[in-house]
Each structure stands twice: as structure tokens, then as C-alpha cells.
Amino acid sequence: MLNAIKRALIVFIGIALQLAFAISIRLFFYEHLGIITIFYSVVSVLIVLGILKDSIRLSNDLPLIILILLFPILGTILFITLGRSYKKSKLLKNIFSYEDKYEKYLKQDSKTIEEINSKQLDNIKYITNRTNYTVSSNNQVTYYKFGEEFYPELLKELKKAEKFIFMEYFILNKGTMWSGILDVLKEKAANGVDVRIMYDDMGSIAMLSTKYPKELAKYGIKCIPFNKITPFKGIFMNNRDHRKMTIIDGKVAFSGGVNISDEYININSPFGIWKDNGIKIVGDSIWNLTVLFLTLWNANTNEDKDINKFKYDFKEKIKKDGYVIPYGVAPLHKDLIGEDVYINMINSAKDYLYIMTPYLIIDTDMVNTLCRAAKRGVDVRIIIPGIPDKKIVYTQTKSFFKILHDNGVKIYKYMKGFVHAKVFLSDDIRSVVGTINMDYRSLYLHFENGIYMENNYEISNVKKDFVETLKECEGISGKDINIGFFKNIWQAVLRLLAPLF
């Protein structure tokens, strides 16, 4: 914690210095402030018109528009600064470059494309049309309804590793869970296995020192803190690696909501029972996750010239059981794949739509889509935490209760603790399990990953988990919806600021 405070203080000082510089510039030109204000007012209006013209998600752009109109000088400078910050980011440029380079490694076979087209699997077609990720039916999928079920399976498979282990997580925290994993990784690295770990620097700032990668290097373990926080880095600090995946020899992969920290396996959870999930894949679709990992890894290291060596050839059919397509989400892409996949699932639901999410902070597109589904008779149910991890974020979630409830969407609170699982499920046919929360950070700002499944047997276990979890929930009540005047105002302010959280 002391390390986190020190690093946060350094970042704060850097931001304060930048702010002081901006104020000094303004004071310097104070005698010409009238002319400057008029100039910036005209520029700000032109900027807002440009944003409105090109915006495809107005809810996300609204706070910036209001800031620019209310404070033309500050808002315009901020807009220009943010834009340049992205363009100057060497890491972001590298990521985009490697996405382009690795496109050649993700080729869909024509037979599967014909099969998808003939069956009119529109949700899968969207992912394959708008991304490079491939879909396959040669997979065996296993769903775990709690982190403590997921963890032993992860350890068991790690112990089988012969060639490589790739691990990418938002949070890596010392404790029982990490100690068990680290013991295996040390042994494997000592035996020549290529062990690579990538954790998010912001996500782990309170848990790990800046020297931790060097500590792991002593054991032969390669480690990268993604998007390292520095005082003058700018807005790209806001784009975190929220993905969670482990890939072992290209033969087996894990994903889901579980980070590497004890609360995720219900050891010393501060918020009651920690309801999370995991998913294991054996089969062809692992390659998508491997390419996702290596894209971010090599954007940092430029280590691998040819990544085909990490692809395992599943020559025999494993289990032809529906379709699986792991996919990635990244900021600044033209399409918001994370949100669009969810919206497509809502639109295609006919009987029911079940959702588990830790946060419910959504834009007008998502609100309207959920409401329309409920109005056309779809049984829409959303499970959220009964014990929140962040009160201000939970207040934002509650601000959506009334409009969703009034339009027929049923919202339930998991009374035993905190729901961290991210699950979409509809009609016993489709499901997404992954890292993508229903909030602006996951849908707009972060690097994320999801596992889309269709007509897969394991979907029945996802549904069983939801139904069992629902028994431990309570529906929202009148006191959750009918709140006082001042609470309404506070929720409205937080709703406006939601894209900034």
C-alpha cells in the first residue's frame, strides 16, 4: 500500500505541474483574455459540431461536449491534449501495428464460413465480419461457477506445461492463490518452459512494487507491467489491460472473471461471498487467445518474429459441439465490439436474456435495447451485487433502476455478496463469458476479452449457474427506485459523469 501511495503521489505531482503550467499560460495572456475567449468559443463550437457529426456513441461524448461548451478554453485545450496524447503513445501505436501484422495468422477456413452463412448465425457473422477472430466447432469447453472451482483446474493444467505458459491479468496480488501458481511457474521456468506474465500496472499498483518484474526474472520468468503509470503519460493511462487469460502450450486455455488474488477464490473476501466464474477451452479456438496475448506482449517487447510456433495443431476432432469464438476488445477501434456483441445478443433473444454483471453503468443504446427486449416479451433478468465494492459506482448503477424496471427489465441483488462474473445468456442457445463489464470502462476504454458460444452444451451449465444464483437474490424494491429529490439530482450528476469513471 505504501508503494501505491508513493506512485500515486508522483503521478499527482506530475498532473499538478501540468495544471500549474496551463494556469500560468492563462495568466500570462490575461490582458488579452477577452479576445482569446472569443477565439476559443468559436473553436469550441466547431469542435462540438465535429463531435456531433461523427459520434456513434453520443452518451460517451456528452460529458466532453458539456465541458467544452461551459468552459471553452479549458475544454478545447483538454480535447486537443487528449487527442495528441493518444497519437503520441508509442505503446498504442505498437499495439495497432501488431494487430495489423498478426491479421495474417487469423484465417477463417471457407468450410466454416459457408456453414455459418447457411445456418444464418448472425451474431457469429458480426464478430467474424468486424474482427479478425476465427470461429471453430472443434472445442471442448468447461464452465466453472466459482473461482475456488476454477483455481485447482488451473493449477493442474499448469503442472502439465511442457513448452510455454502465457498469463495476462488485470490484478496480480500476492497471497495463497498466487503462491500456489508461482511455485509451479518457478519449477517450469527452471525446466526450460517459456513462462510469460503480463499484469496491468494500475490494476496491481497497490499490490506489487515496481521492482517485481526483476524479482520474477531471477526465476527465469518474463514479466511485463502493462501500460506503466508515469506522471506525464497523459490520457492513455486510462486505457487498462482488463483481460484475464492463461494459455498453456496452445493445448488448453483459461479465461473468465477471475483475477490472481485471494478474494477471487473466496479467501478473505471483503464483500461476502465473491461470485465469479471461469472457463476452460481445449481446442482450435485457443489460437485467438494466443494471438491476443502476443499482440500486447510483442507491442512491448518485439520478441517473437514468427508466432506460428505457439500454435498447437489439434489434428483429431475433440468434440463437435456448437461454435466457440474468443474475441478481443480494444480502445479506439472503430467498432465497439464488446458492446455490440452484447446488443446483438439482446436483439436476437426471443424467450429470455439473463445477465450477471458487477456494474450496470450503460449508455442510451444499451438502455433502449434492454427495454425494447422486455417490451417485446423477452424475460430480461439482471443479477448485480448485493454488497457493492465501490459505493459511488453502485450509486451510478442504481440510477438505472427506475427506467429499466418501469420498462419490464427485472433486476436482482445477490444478497450473499459481490457478483464479479460477466455473463450474457439467451434462449439456451447463446452465451458470452469473459471480462467485459456493463460499464463505460469495459465497453469503451479497456482492453478486454470475451468467449462467445453458440449451440454449445456447456451453455446449459451457464444457465444452471444463473438459476442457482437467482435463488440467493432479491429483486429490487420500491425503496431502491423511489428515492428523494436530492438523491435523484446526485444520481443524475453521476450519470452524466459515468463515462469518466
Side-chain angles (χ1 to χ4, degrees):
M1 183 58 72
L2 183 61
N3 175 66
I5 294 172
K6 287 181 179 178
R7 295 187 67 194
L9 184 61
I10 292 171
V11 172
F12 175 78
I13 292 172
I15 294 172
L17 289 173
Q18 294 178 68
L19 183 61
F21 178 74
I23 292 173
S24 66
I25 292 294
R26 179 169 178 172
L27 291 175
F28 181 78
F29 290 107
Y30 184 77
E31 59 184 283
H32 303 293
L33 194 59
I35 297 173
I36 293 172
T37 300
I38 293 172
F39 170 77
Y40 273 104
S41 296
V42 173
V43 172
S44 68
V45 170
L46 294 175
I47 289 173
V48 168
L49 290 175
I51 293 173
L52 290 172
K53 178 177 177 293
D54 297 327
S55 178
I56 59 173
R57 296 294 195 276
L58 191 56
S59 297
N60 185 60
D61 297 327
L62 190 58
L64 183 59
I65 289 173
I66 292 174
L67 179 65
I68 291 172
L69 290 178
L70 288 178
F71 308 101
I73 296 177
L74 176 63
T76 301
I77 291 174
L78 183 62
F79 176 81
I80 295 170
T81 302
L82 297 188
R84 285 181 177 175
S85 177
Y86 280 120
K87 291 176 182 178
K88 287 181 178 179
S89 169
K90 181 180 178 181
L91 177 57
L92 191 62
K93 288 178 182 177
N94 286 346
I95 291 170
F96 289 158
S97 174
Y98 273 98
E99 284 179 341
D100 291 339
K101 285 181 184 178
Y102 289 170
E103 183 178 350
K104 65 184 178 183
Y105 294 108
L106 293 166
K107 295 296 182 182
Q108 185 70 64
D109 63 283
S110 57
K111 183 179 178 181
T112 304
I113 292 175
E114 290 173 7
E115 196 174 300
I116 291 167
N117 289 334
S118 66
K119 294 181 179 179
Q120 297 183 328
L121 303 177
D122 291 341
N123 291 344
I124 291 177
K125 285 167 65 176
Y126 173 81
I127 300 174
T128 56
N129 287 343
R130 302 306 299 171
T131 73
N132 298 321
Y133 306 112
T134 59
V135 59
S136 67
S137 57
N138 188 36
N139 301 279
Q140 184 170 354
V141 179
T142 307
Y143 176 80
Y144 305 98
K145 59 184 179 181
F146 280 100
E148 53 266 39
E149 294 179 2
F150 167 87
Y151 179 52
E153 291 298 314
L154 176 63
L155 280 180
K156 184 175 75 174
E157 295 295 342
L158 285 171
K159 291 174 182 177
K160 297 178 185 178
E162 297 176 341
K163 294 182 178 180
F164 67 87
I165 297 171
F166 297 159
M167 302 186 74
E168 179 179 351
Y169 288 88
F170 180 62
I171 293 173
L172 195 160
N173 190 12
K174 296 177 181 179
T176 301
M177 186 180 187
W178 175 235
S179 293
I181 293 171
L182 185 57
D183 286 344
V184 179
L185 299 184
K186 289 178 182 178
E187 180 184 343
K188 292 298 176 180
N191 291 329
V193 175
D194 183 359
V195 180
R196 306 184 188 185
I197 297 170
M198 184 159 44
Y199 62 84
D200 187 79
D201 196 43
M202 176 73 81
S204 304
I205 190 172
M207 298 93 169
L208 303 176
S209 74
T210 54
K211 298 178 181 178
Y212 197 62
K214 291 183 179 179
E215 291 181 34
L216 293 181
K218 295 176 183 177
Y219 306 108
I221 298 171
K222 303 172 187 175
C223 181
I224 293 175
F226 178 81
N227 199 3
K228 202 168 183 180
I229 296 171
T230 58
F232 300 98
K233 196 162 190 176
I235 197 63
F236 186 53
M237 281 196 305
N238 209 27
N239 301 114
R240 311 314 314 174
D241 181 7
H242 196 246
R243 293 172 181 168
K244 301 161 187 69
M245 66 179 81
T246 295
I247 304 144
I248 303 164
D249 292 345
K251 296 179 180 181
V252 61
F254 293 87
S255 189
V258 178
N259 278 299
I260 308 299
S261 187
D262 283 354
E263 62 268 29
Y264 292 87
I265 56 173
N266 276 302
I267 296 177
N268 300 321
S269 170
F271 309 109
I273 299 297
W274 193 283
K275 176 71 185 86
D276 219 319
N277 62 14
I279 193 165
K280 177 174 116 176
I281 303 172
V282 176
D284 291 338
S285 65
I286 291 172
W287 183 236
N288 285 1
L289 293 174
T290 308
V291 174
L292 267 178
F293 175 88
L294 290 170
T295 297
L296 293 194
W297 183 270
N298 284 310
N300 282 273
T301 67
N302 192 28
E303 181 175 348
D304 304 300
K305 302 305 178 186
D306 181 7
I307 65 171
N308 268 325
K309 62 184 177 181
F310 299 111
K311 186 174 185 178
Y312 182 79
D313 184 12
F314 291 91
K315 295 178 180 178
E316 296 182 3
K317 289 294 178 183
I318 298 169
K319 187 176 181 182
K320 190 171 176 62
D321 177 26
Y323 299 94
V324 179
I325 176 168
Y327 60 96
V329 173
L332 300 185
H333 282 183
K334 183 177 181 181
D335 294 304
L336 296 174
I337 300 298
E339 182 172 46
D340 286 347
V341 169
Y342 283 167
I343 286 177
N344 288 344
M345 281 192 65
I346 300 169
N347 286 331
S348 61
K350 292 181 172 60
D351 181 21
Y352 73 83
L353 176 77
Y354 294 162
I355 299 169
M356 276 195 279
T357 180
Y359 314 113
L360 188 62
I361 306 169
I362 47 182
D363 63 15
T364 52
D365 287 346
M366 184 69 77
V367 170
N368 290 331
T369 307
L370 287 167
C371 291
R372 280 194 296 267
K375 287 176 181 177
R376 68 174 187 267
V378 177
D379 180 13
V380 182
R381 303 188 182 207
I382 304 175
I383 295 177
I384 61 170
I387 302 175
D389 64 334
K390 305 176 184 72
K391 289 187 177 180
I392 193 167
V393 174
Y394 194 63
T395 301
Q396 289 178 306
T397 290
K398 291 195 289 186
S399 73
F400 292 91
F401 283 177
K402 181 172 175 54
I403 187 170
L404 293 174
H405 178 270
D406 289 351
N407 284 280
V409 177
K410 305 178 185 76
I411 302 173
Y412 300 86
K413 295 184 286 186
Y414 178 64
M415 302 310 295
K416 297 183 72 173
F418 181 68
V419 172
H420 190 257
K422 308 96 167 53
V423 171
F424 260 61
L425 169 69
S426 70
D427 300 341
D428 296 347
I429 298 172
R430 308 170 196 89
S431 182
V432 172
V433 177
T435 72
I436 308 168
N437 295 318
M438 289 185 73
D439 65 6
Y440 282 89
R441 291 208 148 271
S442 278
L443 299 175
Y444 286 79
L445 298 174
H446 286 170
F447 294 86
E448 306 274 0
N449 70 277
I451 313 293
Y452 179 88
M453 297 176 283
E454 187 154 342
N455 295 319
N456 188 286
Y457 172 80
E458 203 64 14
I459 291 172
S460 65
N461 287 324
V462 179
K463 182 181 181 181
K464 183 179 179 182
D465 179 33
F466 187 94
V467 172
E468 289 177 354
T469 305
L470 199 62
K471 295 174 183 176
E472 298 171 331
C473 296
E474 290 181 5
I476 59 172
S477 61
K479 68 178 183 180
D480 294 310
I481 300 169
N482 302 312
I483 58 177
F485 175 77
F486 290 106
K487 282 187 177 180
N488 266 308
I489 295 297
W490 177 231
Q491 286 186 1
V493 171
L494 290 179
R495 178 87 71 85
L496 175 64
L497 298 175
L500 305 178
F501 278 83

